[in-house]
Amino acid sequence: MLESSQPVAEDVEVRDPAAMVNTECAQAPDGAEPTLKQRLEHQRAAFSACPFPSAETRLTQLSGLQRLLVDNQQALAQALSADFGHRAKDDSMFGDILPSVQMVKYQIRHLKRWMKPQRRRAGLLLAPAQVKVVYQPLGVVGIVVPWNFPLMLSIGPLASALAAGNRAMIKMSEFTPHTNALLKRLLAQQFCEDEVAIVEGEADVAQAFSALPFDHLLFTGSTAVGHHVMRAAAENLTPVTLELGGKSPVIIAPDMAIDTAVARMIYGKTVNAGQICVSPDYVLCPADKLSEFCEQFVRRFQQMYPNGEGGDDYSCVINSRQYQRLQAWLADAEEKGAQVIPCGGRGDDNQRRMATQLLLNVSDEMTLMQQEIFGPLLPIIPYTDIDEALEYIAKRPRPLALYLLSFDKALQQRIETETHSGGVCINDTIFHVAADDAPFGGIGPSGMGHYHGHEGFLTFSKAKTVLKQGLFASSLLVHPPYGRWLQKLLVKIFVR
């Protein structure tokens, strides 16, 4: 594990300047650090000089981004671990590095097809006009990144923004300084500041960043902060994509064997110590299988982590603030009658280690049942009838993810059509986020808009309709004076 003062990946190879897309980068006067407004102005000016980058330019950028990630994966994993105090190397590999690489590669494979103008039907009324839709870059995209997956949640949106032909400013979390410093240095080897700029700072910087007049703003974080971001963006009529969170439920159906249910859902709760926006937040379990579920979960946890939460394969809670929050919520639940079943230790205050804690007898008065948990606490709620479980979910804010563990096809269909959530996993958890060819986004309190896959390209593009007339324009037929026989005929033909 790196010490906080230890430099990270200082020997990263610098990219050949001749291979850069822009050979001259805008510099702040006298070498001073540019303000947020100046950075935005630099990027706007650069975009105005090249408002529609070619496919070759975009592919060069994306290929360079891919090389950057692949060549520095070890250094990136070390930086992420330094920020967490300890983060399992494979948590970083499977949660941050691998999906980031895959997102970039997906953009590379499909970019040229996405960029092609789409022919649309003009229809008989507008004939013989031609209609097409051109996907035009928006300009400068702002990206606000949380601390839990700082690489994937910066590189993923960045790849979509670059594929769509945009410039990007990225506000990193103040809680991941090692990752920020390394990513900033690596991106500076590949991009000019007027192409991609990394911004750091505390809450005041994040607030000022959200208030900038971007052409699109993507925020990933809590629902509470999402309100403020959307309010700030509204002052500039900046379109937003909000990736928030919420309390993502797991339904264990009556037909599902408990050992299978635990095996399918436990990874989604234990990876990154449960610090994931789509991590299972609570479990709805058949009442007669409650004890079996707890026994199987503890047993499976100890098989996966034989050295407990102190082993190399289990990650720390990111910082003292989050650790103390989780401990306070745990104490609050116990004081209000919850039964706690630890899968390992109750918590190591010095190293911020906490195994998953199962909670029974929970109630809505407990803080952890009112807010997204975002950590290794897992309430288990019994039910007697599947309709009771579905009603429980329907009465609560729409979550970012919903998980069903069942092989009952009729029930699977009900979940797909009768419930609302950002996404659904059936007989698994969290891995729907890794589907490169599918959109990812919330609904209601869990967010708005989509990115990932083709939807990411569309989010950061303006779908501009272009109608083109030739020597003859049918629109001349409807010009005044009105009441002519041909106009009356057109109305009779088309208004019926």
Side-chain angles (χ1 to χ4, degrees):
M1 180 176 68
L2 298 177
E3 298 297 332
S4 60
S5 60
Q6 182 177 347
V8 179
E10 290 292 342
D11 59 345
V12 176
E13 183 181 357
V14 177
R15 191 179 67 124
D16 178 8
M20 298 179 73
V21 175
N22 289 336
T23 57
E24 295 183 2
C25 297
Q27 300 293 333
D30 302 323
E33 184 74 9
T35 65
L36 291 177
K37 184 177 179 181
Q38 286 173 333
R39 287 180 171 180
L40 179 58
E41 289 172 349
H42 291 161
Q43 292 208 348
R44 282 202 186 284
F47 179 77
S48 295
C50 182
F52 198 95
S54 66
E56 289 69 26
T57 295
R58 303 183 201 189
L59 289 170
T60 298
Q61 291 177 326
L62 292 168
S63 297
L65 189 58
Q66 179 187 343
R67 286 198 310 273
L68 178 153
L69 296 170
V70 172
D71 293 347
N72 297 283
Q73 53 189 287
Q74 182 67 28
L76 289 165
Q78 290 174 345
L80 289 161
S81 186
D83 285 326
F84 275 75
H86 169 76
R87 197 192 202 202
K89 182 178 178 180
D90 283 345
D91 277 4
S92 292
M93 183 58 66
F94 293 117
D96 263 307
I97 298 170
L98 186 152
S100 296
V101 172
Q102 291 302 306
M103 287 181 189
V104 176
K105 290 170 66 177
Y106 184 84
Q107 306 285 335
I108 291 172
R109 286 197 301 270
H110 298 279
L111 177 61
K112 288 188 175 181
R113 176 170 59 85
W114 293 344
M115 286 182 66
K116 289 181 179 178
Q118 290 186 355
R119 291 199 175 278
R120 300 294 178 92
R121 295 180 182 275
L124 182 61
L125 183 63
L126 299 178
Q130 296 178 357
V131 176
K132 64 180 177 181
V133 175
V134 176
Y135 295 95
Q136 185 175 26
L138 296 175
V140 181
V141 173
I143 301 168
V144 183
V145 183
W147 51 260
N148 61 324
F149 288 99
L151 190 64
M152 182 185 73
L153 296 175
S154 57
I155 296 298
L158 175 61
S160 291
L162 293 175
N166 299 286
R167 314 274 165 153
M169 290 174 60
I170 306 172
K171 167 60 177 75
M172 302 295 292
S173 169
E174 65 270 29
F175 300 134
T176 55
H178 294 83
T179 304
N180 301 354
L182 177 58
L183 189 59
K184 184 175 183 178
R185 186 153 49 82
L186 293 176
L187 288 172
Q189 296 168 7
Q190 178 66 37
F191 299 98
C192 294
E193 277 272 315
D194 61 13
E195 293 177 306
V196 178
I198 294 288
V199 174
E200 297 182 84
E202 303 285 335
D204 58 331
V205 176
Q207 184 176 3
F209 187 91
S210 300
L212 292 173
F214 291 112
D215 297 293
H216 195 98
L217 178 63
L218 185 145
F219 169 81
T220 303
S222 70
T223 301
V225 178
H227 283 281
H228 297 293
V229 170
M230 190 170 183
R231 196 173 296 117
E235 290 297 318
N236 300 305
L237 294 180
T238 298
V240 295
T241 297
L242 301 178
E243 297 300 342
L244 307 177
K247 302 186 71 61
S248 298
V250 177
I251 305 171
I252 301 177
D255 71 285
M256 174 60 77
I258 291 298
D259 58 343
T260 303
V262 170
R264 297 296 180 90
M265 63 80 57
I266 190 170
Y267 180 77
K269 189 62 183 179
T270 59
V271 65
N272 209 38
Q275 299 167 106
I276 313 175
C277 59
V278 291
S279 178
D281 200 271
Y282 63 92
V283 174
L284 290 163
C285 179
D288 60 350
K289 297 181 179 181
L290 202 61
S291 297
E292 184 184 0
F293 175 86
C294 294
E295 292 170 3
Q296 290 287 352
F297 195 102
V298 173
R299 181 184 65 81
R300 186 84 178 187
F301 182 94
Q302 294 174 352
Q303 286 179 346
M304 292 171 64
Y305 305 101
N307 296 317
E309 69 274 18
D312 288 343
D313 288 344
Y314 197 78
S315 296
C316 292
V317 176
I318 181 73
N319 55 38
S320 295
R321 174 183 170 185
Q322 295 296 326
Y323 178 84
Q324 293 302 328
R325 174 186 64 81
L326 290 164
Q327 288 289 346
W329 288 12
L330 188 61
D332 171 77
E334 281 192 289
E335 290 173 5
K336 293 173 179 174
Q339 176 189 353
V340 179
I341 303 175
C343 292
R346 287 287 296 263
D348 182 330
D349 294 351
N350 294 323
Q351 296 189 11
R352 305 187 308 278
R353 303 268 194 162
M354 180 188 275
T356 306
Q357 312 288 310
L358 306 180
L359 293 102
L360 303 178
N361 303 324
V362 296
S363 64
D364 288 345
E365 291 73 33
M366 299 171 185
T367 305
L368 57 75
M369 293 307 297
Q370 298 170 9
Q371 300 185 43
E372 181 182 5
I373 292 172
F374 219 77
L377 309 180
L378 184 62
I380 319 297
I381 302 168
Y383 72 87
T384 54
D385 179 82
I386 193 65
D387 288 328
E388 177 188 349
L390 295 180
E391 183 180 0
Y392 184 93
I393 295 171
K395 287 181 177 179
R396 284 156 175 78
R398 294 172 173 179
L400 186 56
L402 188 152
Y403 304 116
L404 172 67
L405 302 174
S406 173
F407 297 109
D408 183 334
K409 293 189 183 302
L411 180 56
Q412 292 175 1
Q413 182 64 28
R414 286 189 67 187
I415 291 297
E416 290 181 27
T417 57
E418 296 180 18
T419 64
H420 286 85
S421 60
V424 170
C425 257
I426 297 176
N427 297 323
D428 213 333
T429 57
I430 76 172
F431 282 102
H432 63 293
V433 181
D436 291 327
D437 196 34
F440 175 68
I443 179 172
S446 61
M448 65 177 64
H450 300 90
Y451 75 110
H452 288 199
H454 191 201
E455 279 74 12
F457 177 86
L458 296 175
T459 290
F460 297 125
S461 300
K462 167 57 182 171
K464 185 166 68 176
T465 296
V466 178
L467 181 144
K468 184 170 67 174
Q469 297 280 18
L471 293 175
F472 172 75
S474 57
S475 58
L476 298 175
L477 301 176
V478 299
H479 287 192
Y482 296 129
R484 291 176 289 166
W485 70 269
L486 186 54
Q487 294 167 338
K488 293 178 180 179
L489 179 61
L490 288 173
V491 170
K492 285 186 177 181
I493 291 174
F494 290 101
V495 184
R496 60 177 181 175

